[in-house]
Amino acid sequence: MVENFVPVLILFLLAAAFGLGTVAISSLLGPKRPTKVKQETYECGMVVDPPAYRPFHVKYYLIAMAFVVFDVEVVFLYPWAVKFKQLGLFGLVEMLVFIFILLVGYAYIWKKGVLEWE
Amino acid sequence: MQIESPNILLIVVAAVVMVLYVFTNSAVLVWVERKVSAHIQRRPGPFEVGPFGLLQTAIDGLKLMAKQLIIPGKADKRLFMLAPVLSFVPPIAALLTVPFGKVVQVQNLDIGILFILSLAALNVLAILIAGWASANKYSLFGAVRSVAQNIAYEIPLLLSLLTAVLWMGTLNLGELVDAQGGFWFVFTPFGFVAFLIYFVTGMAETNRAPFDLPEAESELTAGFHTEYSGMGFGLFFLGEYTNMILVSAIATSLFLGGYNLPFVTLNGEGVLWELIRVLIFLAKAYFLIFVMIWMRWTFPRVRFDQLLNLCWKVLIPFSLVNLAAAAIWIKAVGG
């Protein structure tokens, strides 16, 4: 089975080589005249204020949490889907219960306003 | 692990062809996008360089390579250079298991679709690294938005593909195409709904308008790639167009019957038949790309709350219900 993934490795290395190659050519061909002004952070020529690293809205954190819950659920569903036809009625009912429990949580976060943006 | 040398040679050749294809594909698609958008807006588009402006992208590529690579003084230099490569390599590697024809496929993997999805998920990481390493607020906000968008849209994307996996009972892309034969999955009601959901989420995953919030040039300059110049920017661009062909190729294999015509299965042997199959596959994939370009230049950008609400309140429930309905249908009727 492992040899099936040799092409993956080869293609990875090749694509990375092409990507880095174009950057290398670019650094060979391109001019190299760094100046202080040129290397400043882009801000339409004004003084950068406020700086980039500052807190952003906590909403993003909640969305990320909800994503993890759903994503783990989907990962569970993939092997189930492949073997679904062999699993019989038990497989169907079991998964419907699983999805239903998830939907309860989904209704809860909706009710709590996690999905609202103002 | 024993591997015969001709096999390795063949794989290397296939990999080189794949990388060259990706470069050519991006160059042609940029030209197509500019021409289509121009005609939608009643402009001629590029026409100076070469016949019909065909060489415009090649010249642009050269120009990008001859530009100075500017790394902002405040940026995290290593991460800053890593991000474009990380956004460019995974979609190419993911194309490895796409069945362009019965034989034209670098490697058929049993976990095919899962492999592609795991690589496609890396795109979020590249955008986040780019936005963080740039030390620019536009980049960072673009990246944060992009992560919120991409992870949200990943769920309906996975669920809609899962419907196809459930219907055919395999993750192997070659088998998925064969299982459909002439009766494409999109002809079934569940397949149709899943296809629509997949196509919308696919557009959102490639960060294209009307879902191009991460780049929203009217408010965030250029979003996560504001600070990139020269080939750094070029690689992001190549990555985006490679992602487009990847999204269309998955849609073609899972929903549109791959290289088969509607209600006709092409099983002929020989080079000529294989060529016909590859052409059919590419015709479908490029038609989907044309639709994506068409939508980009026809619809205005959505607002950020609308974007996330569409996903969390419409697409996720619909795709879950669709999946459950498909499962019940298979048990009741026998798929």
Side-chain angles (χ1 to χ4, degrees), chain A residues 38-39 42 53 85 106, chain B residues 68 73 132 167 227 312-313:
Chain A
K38 205 186 266 176
Q39 284 178 302
Y42 173 81
Y53 297 131
K85 282 171 185 163
Y106 176 70
Chain B
Q68 182 175 353
W132 181 260
W167 199 261
E227 292 285 3
W312 284 102
K313 293 186 176 172

Side-chain angles (χ1 to χ4, degrees), chain B residues 244-284:
Chain B
M244 276 170 75
I245 182 73
L246 186 63
V247 165
S248 314
I250 296 174
T252 307
S253 331
L254 263 70
F255 298 105
L256 302 181
Y259 39 73
N260 288 321
L261 284 172
F263 307 111
V264 182
T265 311
L266 302 174
N267 276 325
E269 297 283 329
V271 180
L272 191 65
W273 274 104
E274 185 65 11
L275 190 68
I276 292 172
R277 281 195 287 263
V278 171
L279 286 179
I280 289 173
F281 188 95
L282 290 179
K284 287 180 197 170

Side-chain angles (χ1 to χ4, degrees), chain A residues 61-72 109 114-115, chain B residues 155 312:
Chain A
Y61 177 74
L62 291 175
I63 289 285
M65 291 289 285
F67 160 74
V68 171
V69 173
F70 274 93
D71 212 38
V72 169
I109 59 167
V114 173
L115 309 178
Chain B
I155 300 161
W312 284 102

Side-chain angles (χ1 to χ4, degrees), chain B residues 3-246:
Chain B
I3 288 163
E4 299 142 37
S5 51
N7 199 1
I8 280 281
L9 194 69
L10 196 68
I11 291 167
V12 171
V13 170
V16 171
V17 168
M18 192 52 85
V19 173
L20 290 178
Y21 164 70
V22 164
F23 271 84
T24 325
N25 165 64
S26 310
V28 173
L29 276 187
V30 171
W31 177 82
V32 169
E33 173 131 39
R34 293 182 66 179
K35 270 291 183 195
V36 170
S37 65
H39 284 285
I40 286 174
Q41 297 171 340
R42 292 194 161 198
R43 300 181 280 115
F47 61 86
E48 288 280 359
V49 192
F52 306 104
L54 265 169
L55 296 177
Q56 183 69 46
T57 329
I59 296 294
D60 283 348
L62 272 181
K63 188 193 73 178
L64 274 179
M65 279 198 204
K67 290 282 180 193
Q68 182 175 353
L69 284 168
I70 301 169
I71 302 178
K74 282 188 180 156
D76 186 325
K77 286 182 185 54
R78 260 175 290 174
L79 285 182
F80 189 80
M81 288 319 292
L82 173 70
V85 179
L86 193 60
S87 97
F88 163 77
V89 176
I92 296 187
L95 279 176
L96 170 114
T97 187
V98 168
F100 289 97
K102 258 188 176 4
V103 186
V104 183
Q105 183 184 26
V106 183
Q107 177 76 47
N108 200 7
L109 295 175
D110 281 336
I111 57 159
I113 190 70
L114 209 59
F115 172 75
I116 292 180
L117 289 171
S118 57
L119 285 175
L122 285 177
N123 194 33
V124 189
L125 200 62
I127 290 175
L128 188 61
I129 291 176
W132 181 260
S134 297
N136 179 329
K137 61 181 173 228
Y138 299 122
S139 307
L140 186 59
F141 288 175
V144 167
R145 277 189 185 185
S146 174
V147 171
Q149 170 184 339
N150 278 22
I151 62 175
Y153 276 85
E154 193 151 310
I155 300 161
L157 179 97
L158 292 171
L159 285 171
S160 55
L161 292 179
L162 189 61
T163 316
V165 171
L166 179 76
W167 199 261
M168 269 85 80
T170 175
L171 294 170
N172 186 318
L173 280 164
E175 287 175 20
L176 279 166
V177 171
D178 287 336
Q180 291 172 74
F183 191 71
W184 302 356
F185 185 46
V186 76
F187 294 154
T188 62
F190 310 112
F192 185 70
V193 174
F195 174 67
L196 287 184
I197 293 173
Y198 173 75
F199 198 61
V200 171
T201 53
M203 261 193 297
E205 286 284 314
T206 47
N207 295 326
R208 289 177 59 80
F211 305 109
D212 63 340
L213 271 294
E215 294 171 34
E217 64 262 31
S218 52
E219 38 193 300
L220 288 176
T221 318
F224 64 89
H225 59 60
T226 302
E227 292 285 3
Y228 282 88
S229 59
M231 265 330 274
F233 167 74
L235 286 184
F236 276 120
F237 219 62
L238 282 170
E240 179 184 326
Y241 282 94
T242 313
N243 262 324
M244 276 170 75
I245 182 73
L246 186 63

